[in-house]
Amino acid sequence: MVSPLNPRGLPEHLQQRRIDLKADVNTAMVTGLSTKTDYSLTLYAVYPNLIGDPVTITVKTNPLPKVSNFRVIEEGLFSLRLGWTPPLGKLSGFKLFIPRTNRPGLTYEQLLPGDAFSHVVDGLEEDKKYTISIYAIYSEGPSEPVSLVGKTLKLVPVQQFLVQNATTDTVQARWASVKGASGYRLTWASSDGHIENINLGDNFNFYMIQGLHSGSDYTVTINPIFGDIEGPVTTAKVKTLESSAVQTLKVSAVSTSTAVVSWNSVPGATGYRLAWGPTPEFVGRDRPRQLALNSSTTEYKLKNVAHDTEYVLTLYVLFGSAAGPGISATFRTSPLGYVSNFKVTSYTSTTIDVEWSPIVGATEYKLSWMAENSNPQLQYLDRSILFHRIKELNPRSAYTITICAVYGNSEGPEISLSQLTVSDSDPVEAVREVKVIDIGVNSFTLSWKKVPGVSGYKISWIPFLGGQEKSQDVSAASTSFTIQNLQESSAYKIQISPVVGSREGSPVLVTARTLDLPKVEGFAALNTTDSSTILNWTRVAGVSGYLLSWRHISVLDTKTERLGPGFTSYKIDDLLYGRTYIFTIRPLYGEVQGPISIIFQRICKPSPNHSSLSLYLVLII
């Protein structure tokens, strides 16, 4: 027996319904109920010539689903564009409702079809707040309303209005876009009363005003347009140039023999003439020179100028055969520089390694060395070389090493250092402060303190439980090394030995263990039905794919699916109702499988609470 309950919780017998069920039925669906209503459900067991005692439960049906994600998509001066996500189910339509607080008794109501998901409410007032409600309409009636507060735009002027970069006959106008404007009106007026204007679209925020008179004052105004409504006016004043001339002249990237000259473009110019030469106190260091450039050029690199010399340069604007006013600037080239960071990086009984930093403008380097009471030896090195090993030296001897940068046919100042080679019989000092500073899944980074006098280091590593030993030689300048292509979750023994010539010093041993491969997180079964489920998980960085498996908890037959790295969910069908399954997932790194993640899920129908108009009645016999 199915009976609705009145507000006092008593059954409404006039609306009572009877449902007859067969003896082998233990589940029944009750339909045709009202939303948000309390019902009394009474079940009787019927025997031949006898009716058993009743069992009664009280339940309440769900409300009709409401609209979700109700929002303002676009604001206008006199309108609001609304959007929403329709609820699931068969809809008759939607109803929009707006009370007009400034017009008592007046409301805005609009009925919309069931497939609508947006609507423009117009006829509103500027800069006003409106409370708007929406109802989903079903055959059973309307849902509960969903409301929001929207505000129309305010009629505002253009902000950040700039009129700049004036020439003899043009100026540039720039402004910040105004939200909701359909366009702009730009107007300019000369001091003698001549006025011109232009209407521009809403995508404009820049315009070059042309055809102006040289040396004249102009008033430039702009106002936004909203359909048929014009917004407030913003004003700026500007004056065009008396004559065309370069406004900015800059010299940059100055070196010992070059400099870059740049300037602003002059509208209407047919070309430029650039002249340069030493200032009076540096006359004789270089000769004066000049050249003509075309109108599209606004940058030129001066080459082969003298080092440590002050220059004056002048740029003229050309208009056909006539030259406009010139603009001048001075700059001084750099002196020939010392080689910086010149140092010894390692030494043995017969070799010394030196290195240095690059010098801008150098064409090559001149390196020389000599022992006491001997003749110097010389080596020229290309400018790309910043390291050199001096060989065939005498053990236990002091050497003076000198370097200078060469700039074409000129040599820069020299810088020297001294170094004593070691004896063949000196013991090799062990490496100190050896430690593992970074551990990865497949790598270690080793660091140590530099040992003076060595020619290099030998690094070797082997799995802790045995296996193939590998090694690598590194330079004497190194203080760290990364061992790669290791096995994850494995311990290793690592040794580092100093090397002097053909001799190898005592090794230093450290141990370390690589990290585990990351596992899949957030593994869960969602949206489970009576025959399927959707598995979801969080993407793992760096994987090449995933290995997904599932089986019934009481059998060993397992199904497997290999998925690409872009997957974060997968639907599995053809599952058995009421059974529990084991689902597993592993990340794949090439052919290597990461750790396993496991979940258990029982396959069953959705909860009865998901239906707003139906209830499930369960009979257990």
Side-chain angles (χ1 to χ4, degrees), residues 4-5 33-39 59-62:
L5 301 180
L33 305 180
S34 300
T35 62
K36 289 186 66 178
T37 303
D38 292 316
Y39 281 88
V59 295
K60 186 176 183 177
T61 53
N62 292 329

mmCIF file with all atom_site columns, all heavy atoms in Angstrom, residues 4-5 33-39 59-62:
data_model
loop_
_atom_site.group_PDB
_atom_site.id
_atom_site.type_symbol
_atom_site.label_atom_id
_atom_site.label_alt_id
_atom_site.label_comp_id
_atom_site.label_asym_id
_atom_site.label_entity_id
_atom_site.label_seq_id
_atom_site.pdbx_PDB_ins_code
_atom_site.Cartn_x
_atom_site.Cartn_y
_atom_site.Cartn_z
_atom_site.occupancy
_atom_site.B_iso_or_equiv
_atom_site.pdbx_formal_charge
_atom_site.auth_seq_id
_atom_site.auth_comp_id
_atom_site.auth_asym_id
_atom_site.auth_atom_id
_atom_site.pdbx_PDB_model_num
ATOM 1   N N   . PRO A 1 4  ? 0.432  8.933  0.453  1.00 0.00 ? 4  PRO A N   1
ATOM 2   C CA  . PRO A 1 4  ? 1.125  10.174 0.815  1.00 0.00 ? 4  PRO A CA  1
ATOM 3   C C   . PRO A 1 4  ? 0.749  10.577 2.236  1.00 0.00 ? 4  PRO A C   1
ATOM 4   O O   . PRO A 1 4  ? -0.325 10.247 2.730  1.00 0.00 ? 4  PRO A O   1
ATOM 5   C CB  . PRO A 1 4  ? 0.612  11.177 -0.219 1.00 0.00 ? 4  PRO A CB  1
ATOM 6   C CG  . PRO A 1 4  ? -0.719 10.635 -0.641 1.00 0.00 ? 4  PRO A CG  1
ATOM 7   C CD  . PRO A 1 4  ? -0.629 9.148  -0.557 1.00 0.00 ? 4  PRO A CD  1
ATOM 8   N N   . LEU A 1 5  ? 1.660  11.291 2.915  1.00 0.00 ? 5  LEU A N   1
ATOM 9   C CA  . LEU A 1 5  ? 1.425  11.740 4.281  1.00 0.00 ? 5  LEU A CA  1
ATOM 10  C C   . LEU A 1 5  ? 1.063  13.212 4.277  1.00 0.00 ? 5  LEU A C   1
ATOM 11  O O   . LEU A 1 5  ? 1.627  14.017 3.514  1.00 0.00 ? 5  LEU A O   1
ATOM 12  C CB  . LEU A 1 5  ? 2.676  11.513 5.132  1.00 0.00 ? 5  LEU A CB  1
ATOM 13  C CG  . LEU A 1 5  ? 3.165  10.063 5.237  1.00 0.00 ? 5  LEU A CG  1
ATOM 14  C CD1 . LEU A 1 5  ? 4.415  9.994  6.106  1.00 0.00 ? 5  LEU A CD1 1
ATOM 15  C CD2 . LEU A 1 5  ? 2.078  9.142  5.784  1.00 0.00 ? 5  LEU A CD2 1
ATOM 16  N N   . LEU A 1 33 ? 4.951  9.147  -8.362 1.00 0.00 ? 33 LEU A N   1
ATOM 17  C CA  . LEU A 1 33 ? 4.920  9.868  -7.084 1.00 0.00 ? 33 LEU A CA  1
ATOM 18  C C   . LEU A 1 33 ? 5.152  11.353 -7.309 1.00 0.00 ? 33 LEU A C   1
ATOM 19  O O   . LEU A 1 33 ? 5.644  11.787 -8.356 1.00 0.00 ? 33 LEU A O   1
ATOM 20  C CB  . LEU A 1 33 ? 5.989  9.300  -6.154 1.00 0.00 ? 33 LEU A CB  1
ATOM 21  C CG  . LEU A 1 33 ? 5.919  7.774  -5.904 1.00 0.00 ? 33 LEU A CG  1
ATOM 22  C CD1 . LEU A 1 33 ? 7.036  7.360  -4.975 1.00 0.00 ? 33 LEU A CD1 1
ATOM 23  C CD2 . LEU A 1 33 ? 4.557  7.371  -5.351 1.00 0.00 ? 33 LEU A CD2 1
ATOM 24  N N   . SER A 1 34 ? 4.845  12.146 -6.319 1.00 0.00 ? 34 SER A N   1
ATOM 25  C CA  . SER A 1 34 ? 5.062  13.601 -6.354 1.00 0.00 ? 34 SER A CA  1
ATOM 26  C C   . SER A 1 34 ? 6.431  13.914 -5.758 1.00 0.00 ? 34 SER A C   1
ATOM 27  O O   . SER A 1 34 ? 6.932  13.193 -4.898 1.00 0.00 ? 34 SER A O   1
ATOM 28  C CB  . SER A 1 34 ? 3.972  14.333 -5.567 1.00 0.00 ? 34 SER A CB  1
ATOM 29  O OG  . SER A 1 34 ? 2.695  14.066 -6.107 1.00 0.00 ? 34 SER A OG  1
ATOM 30  N N   . THR A 1 35 ? 7.008  15.017 -6.202 1.00 0.00 ? 35 THR A N   1
ATOM 31  C CA  . THR A 1 35 ? 8.324  15.404 -5.704 1.00 0.00 ? 35 THR A CA  1
ATOM 32  C C   . THR A 1 35 ? 8.215  16.002 -4.314 1.00 0.00 ? 35 THR A C   1
ATOM 33  O O   . THR A 1 35 ? 7.197  16.556 -3.923 1.00 0.00 ? 35 THR A O   1
ATOM 34  C CB  . THR A 1 35 ? 8.969  16.429 -6.641 1.00 0.00 ? 35 THR A CB  1
ATOM 35  O OG1 . THR A 1 35 ? 8.155  17.598 -6.675 1.00 0.00 ? 35 THR A OG1 1
ATOM 36  C CG2 . THR A 1 35 ? 9.109  15.865 -8.040 1.00 0.00 ? 35 THR A CG2 1
ATOM 37  N N   . LYS A 1 36 ? 9.291  15.888 -3.540 1.00 0.00 ? 36 LYS A N   1
ATOM 38  C CA  . LYS A 1 36 ? 9.413  16.468 -2.195 1.00 0.00 ? 36 LYS A CA  1
ATOM 39  C C   . LYS A 1 36 ? 8.200  16.124 -1.339 1.00 0.00 ? 36 LYS A C   1
ATOM 40  O O   . LYS A 1 36 ? 7.615  16.986 -0.673 1.00 0.00 ? 36 LYS A O   1
ATOM 41  C CB  . LYS A 1 36 ? 9.603  17.983 -2.282 1.00 0.00 ? 36 LYS A CB  1
ATOM 42  C CG  . LYS A 1 36 ? 10.954 18.426 -2.818 1.00 0.00 ? 36 LYS A CG  1
ATOM 43  C CD  . LYS A 1 36 ? 11.129 19.930 -2.750 1.00 0.00 ? 36 LYS A CD  1
ATOM 44  C CE  . LYS A 1 36 ? 11.179 20.390 -1.302 1.00 0.00 ? 36 LYS A CE  1
ATOM 45  N NZ  . LYS A 1 36 ? 11.403 21.842 -1.188 1.00 0.00 ? 36 LYS A NZ  1
ATOM 46  N N   . THR A 1 37 ? 7.780  14.865 -1.369 1.00 0.00 ? 37 THR A N   1
ATOM 47  C CA  . THR A 1 37 ? 6.567  14.429 -0.646 1.00 0.00 ? 37 THR A CA  1
ATOM 48  C C   . THR A 1 37 ? 6.916  13.216 0.216  1.00 0.00 ? 37 THR A C   1
ATOM 49  O O   . THR A 1 37 ? 7.639  12.314 -0.213 1.00 0.00 ? 37 THR A O   1
ATOM 50  C CB  . THR A 1 37 ? 5.450  14.064 -1.635 1.00 0.00 ? 37 THR A CB  1
ATOM 51  O OG1 . THR A 1 37 ? 5.186  15.201 -2.467 1.00 0.00 ? 37 THR A OG1 1
ATOM 52  C CG2 . THR A 1 37 ? 4.184  13.662 -0.893 1.00 0.00 ? 37 THR A CG2 1
ATOM 53  N N   . ASP A 1 38 ? 6.365  13.208 1.474  1.00 0.00 ? 38 ASP A N   1
ATOM 54  C CA  . ASP A 1 38 ? 6.527  12.064 2.365  1.00 0.00 ? 38 ASP A CA  1
ATOM 55  C C   . ASP A 1 38 ? 5.496  10.993 2.014  1.00 0.00 ? 38 ASP A C   1
ATOM 56  O O   . ASP A 1 38 ? 4.314  11.294 1.786  1.00 0.00 ? 38 ASP A O   1
ATOM 57  C CB  . ASP A 1 38 ? 6.343  12.490 3.823  1.00 0.00 ? 38 ASP A CB  1
ATOM 58  C CG  . ASP A 1 38 ? 7.480  13.384 4.281  1.00 0.00 ? 38 ASP A CG  1
ATOM 59  O OD1 . ASP A 1 38 ? 8.641  13.063 3.980  1.00 0.00 ? 38 ASP A OD1 1
ATOM 60  O OD2 . ASP A 1 38 ? 7.205  14.418 4.935  1.00 0.00 ? 38 ASP A OD2 1
ATOM 61  N N   . TYR A 1 39 ? 5.942  9.737  1.968  1.00 0.00 ? 39 TYR A N   1
ATOM 62  C CA  . TYR A 1 39 ? 5.060  8.608  1.658  1.00 0.00 ? 39 TYR A CA  1
ATOM 63  C C   . TYR A 1 39 ? 5.211  7.518  2.722  1.00 0.00 ? 39 TYR A C   1
ATOM 64  O O   . TYR A 1 39 ? 6.308  7.321  3.288  1.00 0.00 ? 39 TYR A O   1
ATOM 65  C CB  . TYR A 1 39 ? 5.398  8.007  0.291  1.00 0.00 ? 39 TYR A CB  1
ATOM 66  C CG  . TYR A 1 39 ? 4.853  8.801  -0.865 1.00 0.00 ? 39 TYR A CG  1
ATOM 67  C CD1 . TYR A 1 39 ? 5.591  9.854  -1.416 1.00 0.00 ? 39 TYR A CD1 1
ATOM 68  C CD2 . TYR A 1 39 ? 3.595  8.524  -1.411 1.00 0.00 ? 39 TYR A CD2 1
ATOM 69  C CE1 . TYR A 1 39 ? 5.099  10.592 -2.464 1.00 0.00 ? 39 TYR A CE1 1
ATOM 70  C CE2 . TYR A 1 39 ? 3.101  9.262  -2.470 1.00 0.00 ? 39 TYR A CE2 1
ATOM 71  C CZ  . TYR A 1 39 ? 3.836  10.288 -2.998 1.00 0.00 ? 39 TYR A CZ  1
ATOM 72  O OH  . TYR A 1 39 ? 3.357  11.021 -4.055 1.00 0.00 ? 39 TYR A OH  1
ATOM 73  N N   . VAL A 1 59 ? 9.213  7.238  3.649  1.00 0.00 ? 59 VAL A N   1
ATOM 74  C CA  . VAL A 1 59 ? 10.273 7.805  2.809  1.00 0.00 ? 59 VAL A CA  1
ATOM 75  C C   . VAL A 1 59 ? 9.799  9.136  2.228  1.00 0.00 ? 59 VAL A C   1
ATOM 76  O O   . VAL A 1 59 ? 8.612  9.456  2.284  1.00 0.00 ? 59 VAL A O   1
ATOM 77  C CB  . VAL A 1 59 ? 10.650 6.845  1.658  1.00 0.00 ? 59 VAL A CB  1
ATOM 78  C CG1 . VAL A 1 59 ? 11.262 5.575  2.188  1.00 0.00 ? 59 VAL A CG1 1
ATOM 79  C CG2 . VAL A 1 59 ? 9.430  6.530  0.805  1.00 0.00 ? 59 VAL A CG2 1
ATOM 80  N N   . LYS A 1 60 ? 10.774 9.875  1.667  1.00 0.00 ? 60 LYS A N   1
ATOM 81  C CA  . LYS A 1 60 ? 10.440 11.162 1.048  1.00 0.00 ? 60 LYS A CA  1
ATOM 82  C C   . LYS A 1 60 ? 11.109 11.251 -0.318 1.00 0.00 ? 60 LYS A C   1
ATOM 83  O O   . LYS A 1 60 ? 12.301 10.949 -0.461 1.00 0.00 ? 60 LYS A O   1
ATOM 84  C CB  . LYS A 1 60 ? 10.926 12.327 1.921  1.00 0.00 ? 60 LYS A CB  1
ATOM 85  C CG  . LYS A 1 60 ? 10.494 13.692 1.413  1.00 0.00 ? 60 LYS A CG  1
ATOM 86  C CD  . LYS A 1 60 ? 10.917 14.798 2.374  1.00 0.00 ? 60 LYS A CD  1
ATOM 87  C CE  . LYS A 1 60 ? 10.418 16.161 1.893  1.00 0.00 ? 60 LYS A CE  1
ATOM 88  N NZ  . LYS A 1 60 ? 10.750 17.237 2.857  1.00 0.00 ? 60 LYS A NZ  1
ATOM 89  N N   . THR A 1 61 ? 10.356 11.629 -1.344 1.00 0.00 ? 61 THR A N   1
ATOM 90  C CA  . THR A 1 61 ? 10.905 11.753 -2.701 1.00 0.00 ? 61 THR A CA  1
ATOM 91  C C   . THR A 1 61 ? 11.772 13.009 -2.808 1.00 0.00 ? 61 THR A C   1
ATOM 92  O O   . THR A 1 61 ? 11.617 13.963 -2.052 1.00 0.00 ? 61 THR A O   1
ATOM 93  C CB  . THR A 1 61 ? 9.789  11.811 -3.753 1.00 0.00 ? 61 THR A CB  1
ATOM 94  O OG1 . THR A 1 61 ? 8.876  12.848 -3.391 1.00 0.00 ? 61 THR A OG1 1
ATOM 95  C CG2 . THR A 1 61 ? 9.051  10.486 -3.827 1.00 0.00 ? 61 THR A CG2 1
ATOM 96  N N   . ASN A 1 62 ? 12.704 12.981 -3.750 1.00 0.00 ? 62 ASN A N   1
ATOM 97  C CA  . ASN A 1 62 ? 13.625 14.104 -3.958 1.00 0.00 ? 62 ASN A CA  1
ATOM 98  C C   . ASN A 1 62 ? 12.939 15.243 -4.709 1.00 0.00 ? 62 ASN A C   1
ATOM 99  O O   . ASN A 1 62 ? 11.966 15.027 -5.439 1.00 0.00 ? 62 ASN A O   1
ATOM 100 C CB  . ASN A 1 62 ? 14.841 13.654 -4.764 1.00 0.00 ? 62 ASN A CB  1
ATOM 101 C CG  . ASN A 1 62 ? 15.698 12.691 -3.978 1.00 0.00 ? 62 ASN A CG  1
ATOM 102 O OD1 . ASN A 1 62 ? 15.759 12.765 -2.755 1.00 0.00 ? 62 ASN A OD1 1
ATOM 103 N ND2 . ASN A 1 62 ? 16.347 11.763 -4.677 1.00 0.00 ? 62 ASN A ND2 1
#
